[in-house]
Amino acid sequence: MKIVVPLDMSDVAARAIQPAADIARGVGDEVVLVTVSGARLRNDLRSTAESEGVEVVEMIEQYLEGMASELEGVDVSHTLIPGETAAGALVDFAASEPDVRMMVMATHGRTGFERWRLGNVTEKVIRHATVPILVVPTREAGRAGGCG
């Protein structure tokens, strides 16, 4: 079985890797690190890639390889998913890939206008995915907007 971890090359998204790896070790699953190569991400990375003298896709592949190499004691693979909307591409990937047990995602914790303007990939995936989603909260304890 596979546990899919979507990454957008942010530190926040990477916080889902360790919980996914812990689950995978416990049940003997493979961790699959994925990044959606949409226009928005490619545009965001273009100037960095140019300054490093690499293509954007190569830069994303290097990132995924680096993240995968940090995991120990678990089978890990990585893939770049084509797609223009991250949520749609992730939902489609999880539905089409055999043996996906679950997806583990970190949430950026955006609220209000920022959430509306940028969208919320995690929320969209939760609404449309055909596999269970484990959401890893990354908001700091005591920050406004939490429960209770």
Side-chain angles (χ1 to χ4, degrees):
M1 299 293 287
K2 299 174 184 176
I3 299 174
V4 176
V5 182
L7 301 172
D8 62 4
M9 300 181 70
S10 71
D11 291 339
V12 170
R15 292 182 191 169
I17 296 172
Q18 199 56 55
D22 292 343
I23 294 167
R25 280 186 206 97
V27 297
D29 284 358
E30 172 187 2
V31 173
V32 182
L33 306 177
V34 300
T35 296
V36 177
S37 176
R40 181 175 175 179
L41 180 61
R42 289 191 310 268
N43 287 336
D44 288 349
L45 298 175
R46 191 167 322 284
S47 63
T48 304
E50 287 174 1
S51 70
E52 294 180 13
V54 297
E55 295 294 321
V56 172
V57 171
E58 181 182 350
M59 186 176 165
I60 297 169
E61 286 287 347
Q62 289 172 355
Y63 167 79
L64 288 170
E65 288 171 11
M67 298 308 279
S69 71
E70 293 179 14
L71 288 177
E72 295 180 6
V74 64
D75 290 334
V76 62
S77 64
H78 58 83
T79 190
L80 187 61
I81 304 170
E84 291 310 313
T85 65
L90 292 168
V91 168
D92 291 347
F93 178 81
S96 67
E97 187 72 16
D99 300 327
V100 172
R101 179 187 302 272
M102 68 186 320
M103 194 177 297
V104 179
M105 303 179 73
T107 179
H108 288 268
R110 295 182 180 111
T111 59
F113 179 73
E114 185 178 21
R115 179 176 168 194
W116 172 82
R117 181 178 62 83
L118 297 174
N120 186 321
V121 173
T122 304
E123 181 180 351
K124 290 174 185 173
V125 170
I126 290 169
R127 289 178 189 244
H128 300 286
T130 58
V131 299
I133 309 297
L134 173 64
V135 178
V136 178
T138 59
R139 178 172 281 168
E140 294 176 22
R143 252 180 86 183
C147 295

